[in-house]
Amino acid sequence: MAAAQSSPQGGLTLDQAVVRVQQQVGGKILSAEPRQLGRKVEYRIKVLTPEGHVRNIVIPSDATRTPPAAQSTKKSPNGGSKKEKH
């Protein structure tokens, strides 16, 4: 599993995919494994949900790595001030 830790072509790593599923679904991760599909890699993650269901989630390694919280930084082109001038 150590070889799966590296990021294929700068994409998502197995650890990052596991963290993403953990945050989105919650519950307990039962297994996580990479799967080679031609040149692409996808991660198959089996999770036990808080409701007691087992879900198999597939995350492509080229999925966007930017978490939604990182997008909340607001930069205004006019210096950050939105006050009207009178």
Side-chain angles (χ1 to χ4, degrees):
M1 194 157 130
Q5 305 300 324
S6 65
S7 173
Q9 293 97 26
L12 207 61
T13 65
L14 179 61
D15 287 340
Q16 290 168 331
V18 167
V19 168
R20 178 181 287 187
V21 170
Q22 184 86 45
Q23 290 172 345
Q24 290 177 350
V25 178
K28 180 179 178 181
I29 302 296
L30 301 175
S31 67
E33 57 188 37
R35 187 167 186 187
Q36 190 76 34
L37 299 172
R39 293 185 184 183
K40 301 210 179 231
V41 175
E42 69 180 16
Y43 303 119
R44 293 183 175 261
I45 301 167
K46 188 182 286 188
V47 61
L48 178 64
T49 67
E51 296 82 26
H53 301 282
V54 174
R55 289 180 59 191
N56 288 301
I57 299 173
V58 177
I59 306 248
S61 65
D62 59 355
T64 305
R65 292 193 301 170
T66 307
Q71 296 174 352
S72 66
T73 56
K74 297 177 184 174
K75 292 185 179 180
S76 179
N78 62 358
S81 176
K82 292 189 176 185
K83 294 182 181 178
E84 292 183 22
K85 294 183 181 180
H86 293 271

